[in-house]
């Protein structure tokens, strides 16, 4: 679809010029980068489609196939910078939901150019009335972003430190193995002891070294893992030092452990035979054998035969309760038919 993107002014397509870059302004209409440069060569310009006055610094690279989406994203960012109230700023949840609906209505009106004059007046009035709380929430948001960036940097530092410790541990293990190999060769060449005893002692030393290596790696990892931060980047106790916005974790009551109970199938008829019984009675001789593909999927002829017998016996209604109910229903129907005949 990128090949069919066209500049509305010079009619150049992405197919003809793969290096073409479309740019979007506040009005939501796109122009290629060359047309933007020519448009502002004299210092000012207007949109060739809606004749809206444009500014050079308002142009940005088009990210989506539909320029209207870029327009909505830009408007949403601009509006949410001012309408940044949170749920704790409202006494009830209903008022907070009404506020969110009002924000979405403003964004919708600006995106589709519905009564822009009154919408902009509404935005200006909101800025004047909520200037302090807007600035407060903006500072709080910037502080949270800084804290999150710091936590992410600390986590990256921990990960790099942990990786370097593992690399050093592997290098040390290789050095120990190389030294042990050289020591074995020297002992075999220059020692007067029996070769079998030398090799046996070397094997024991190697086994002891192999047992010590996981312990050393675990200790190296524990020195990094043991910290005051979660793996997600949230530091333990950091929020409590600054704000008390988080509620305590609710305590859950101890529930009983799950116990499996075998399902009870009410066929409303005689119990069907099991697969083992059908195999002993040679029922499968009359069923088409499953091929290799069906067996790979878990299907066997035993399942087909057992399912057919279950469905056949499930509709016989041989149980005493069902028979009693059926007899009562038949008696009622026969009585009603007799009364109808007498009336006729």
């Amino acid at each position: 679809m990128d090949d069919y993107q066209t500049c509305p002014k010079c009619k150049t397509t992405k197919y003809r010029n793969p290096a073409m870059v479309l740019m979007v302004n506040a009005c939501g209409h796109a122009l290629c980068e060359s047309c933007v440069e020519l448009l502002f060569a004299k210092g000012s310009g207007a949109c060739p489609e809606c004749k809206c006055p444009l500014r050079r610094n308002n142009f940005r690279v088009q990210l989506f196939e539909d320029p209207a989406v870029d327009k909505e994203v830009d408007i949403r960012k601009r509006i949410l910078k001012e309408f940044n109230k949170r749920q704790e700023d409202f006494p009830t949840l209903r008022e907070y939901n009404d506020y969110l609906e009002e924000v979405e209505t403003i964004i919708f009106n600006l995106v589709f150019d519905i009564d822009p004059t009154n919408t902009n007046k509404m935005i200006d009035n909101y800025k004047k009335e909520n200037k302090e709380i807007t600035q407060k929430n903006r500072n709080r948001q910037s502080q949270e972003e800084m804290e999150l960036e710091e936590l992410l940097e600390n986590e990256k530092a921990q990960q790099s430190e942990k990786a370097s410790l593992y690399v050093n541990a592997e290098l040390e293990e290789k050095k120990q193995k190389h030294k042990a190999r050289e020591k074995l060769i020297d002992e075999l060449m220059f020692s007067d002891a029996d070769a079998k005893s030398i090799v046996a002692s070397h094997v024991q030393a190697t086994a002891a070294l192999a047992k010590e290596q996981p312990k050393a790696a675990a200790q190296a990892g524990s020195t990094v893992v043991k910290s005051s931060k979660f793996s997600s980047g949230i530091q333990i106790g950091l929020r409590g030092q600054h704000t008390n916005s988080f509620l305590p974790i609710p305590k859950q009551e101890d529930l009983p452990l799950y116990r499996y109970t075998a399902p009870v199938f009410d066929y409303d008829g005689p119990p069907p035979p099991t697969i083992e019984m059908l195999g002993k009675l040679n029922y499968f001789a009359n069923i088409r054998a499953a091929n290799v593909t069906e067996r790979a999927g878990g299907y066997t002829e035993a399942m087909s035969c057992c399912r057919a017998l279950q469905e056949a016996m499930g509709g016989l209604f041989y149980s005493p309760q069902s028979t009693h109910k059926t007899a009562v229903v038949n008696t009622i129907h026969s009585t009603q038919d007799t009364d109808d005949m007498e009336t006729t």
Side-chain angles (χ1 to χ4, degrees):
M1 294 300 295
D2 293 341
D3 296 340
Y4 296 96
Q5 291 182 353
T6 307
C7 176
K9 187 174 183 181
C10 64
K11 306 302 180 183
T12 304
T13 62
K14 193 77 171 178
Y15 178 78
R16 296 178 182 175
N17 184 15
M20 183 185 71
V21 178
L22 289 177
M23 305 187 73
V24 186
N25 206 291
C27 62
H29 298 128
L31 289 175
C32 68
E33 192 173 8
S34 301
C35 291
V36 172
E37 297 295 337
L38 293 175
L39 186 64
F40 291 96
K42 299 180 180 180
S44 62
C47 178
E49 295 191 23
C50 63
K51 306 303 179 182
C52 176
L54 303 178
R55 294 182 181 179
R56 180 68 180 85
N57 56 357
N58 288 338
F59 274 95
R60 61 198 178 279
V61 178
Q62 181 176 339
L63 301 177
F64 301 93
E65 182 180 352
D66 188 359
V69 179
D70 290 89
K71 178 183 178 182
E72 180 180 354
V73 171
D74 181 66
I75 292 175
R76 186 173 294 274
K77 288 182 180 179
R78 179 165 53 87
I79 294 301
L80 293 181
K81 284 183 180 179
E82 301 295 335
F83 291 80
N84 57 1
K85 287 185 179 181
R86 304 189 179 190
Q87 184 176 352
E88 54 266 22
D89 297 330
F90 296 87
T92 60
L93 181 61
R94 179 60 181 271
E95 294 183 8
Y96 178 61
N97 291 332
D98 294 340
Y99 165 77
L100 294 179
E101 185 175 357
E102 182 183 359
V103 173
E104 291 299 325
T105 302
I106 292 173
I107 295 174
F108 181 83
N109 292 341
L110 293 177
V111 170
F112 295 97
D113 297 328
I114 301 175
D115 196 7
T117 304
N118 293 331
T119 304
N120 289 323
K121 287 182 180 180
M122 187 187 304
I123 296 173
D124 294 336
N125 293 333
Y126 176 85
K127 289 181 180 180
K128 294 178 182 179
E129 296 174 359
N130 302 273
K131 184 177 181 180
E132 295 182 0
I133 190 170
T134 301
Q135 187 64 30
K136 178 183 177 182
N137 290 335
R138 194 175 296 174
N139 295 336
R140 185 194 307 176
Q141 184 177 2
S142 61
Q143 183 179 2
E144 291 176 354
E145 291 176 355
M146 292 174 59
E147 291 177 359
L148 184 58
E149 290 179 359
E150 182 181 357
L151 295 175
L152 293 176
E153 291 178 358
N154 293 336
E155 186 175 0
K156 288 181 180 179
Q158 289 183 2
Q159 291 178 354
S160 61
E161 183 181 355
K162 185 177 181 179
S164 63
L165 287 175
Y166 277 114
V167 170
N168 295 334
E170 290 180 358
L171 293 176
E172 186 65 25
E173 182 181 358
K174 291 181 180 179
K175 290 181 181 179
Q176 293 294 337
K177 289 182 179 179
H178 184 68
K179 289 182 180 179
R181 191 180 301 111
E182 290 183 349
K183 183 179 179 181
L184 174 62
I185 294 173
D186 292 340
E187 290 182 356
L188 290 174
M189 291 178 61
F190 302 107
S191 178
D192 297 333
D194 187 13
K196 293 183 179 180
S197 61
I198 294 175
V199 173
S201 62
H202 173 72
V203 171
Q204 292 179 358
T206 305
L209 182 62
K211 291 181 180 179
E212 292 178 0
Q213 289 298 334
K215 295 181 180 180
Q219 292 177 357
S222 63
T223 55
V224 179
V225 174
K226 289 181 179 179
S227 62
S228 60
K229 299 180 180 62
F230 294 108
S231 60
S232 60
I234 304 301
Q235 187 171 359
I236 300 174
L238 181 64
R239 291 290 180 189
Q241 297 174 2
H242 297 281
T243 59
N244 295 324
S245 58
F246 290 120
L247 296 176
I249 300 176
K251 295 182 179 180
Q252 296 182 354
E253 298 180 358
D254 295 335
L255 301 177
L257 297 177
Y258 172 77
R259 292 184 180 180
Y260 173 75
T261 303
V264 179
F265 299 101
D266 186 8
Y267 297 103
D268 203 7
T274 60
I275 295 180
E276 293 78 8
M277 182 62 67
L278 294 176
K280 293 180 181 179
L281 298 176
N282 200 18
Y283 268 66
F284 305 148
N286 301 321
I287 304 297
R288 179 184 64 83
N291 55 32
V292 178
T293 305
E294 293 172 344
R295 290 186 181 277
Y299 170 79
T300 59
E301 57 272 10
M303 297 173 60
S304 178
C305 182
C306 185
R307 181 67 63 81
L309 289 175
Q310 287 177 358
E311 292 179 355
M313 294 182 178
L316 297 179
F317 301 97
Y318 276 173
S319 63
Q321 295 180 357
S322 297
T323 304
H324 178 68
K325 292 178 181 177
T326 306
V328 172
V329 172
N330 291 335
T331 303
I332 294 173
H333 285 308
S334 62
T335 304
Q336 291 177 353
D337 293 339
T338 304
D339 295 338
D340 293 339
M341 291 175 64
E342 290 179 357
T343 303
T344 304

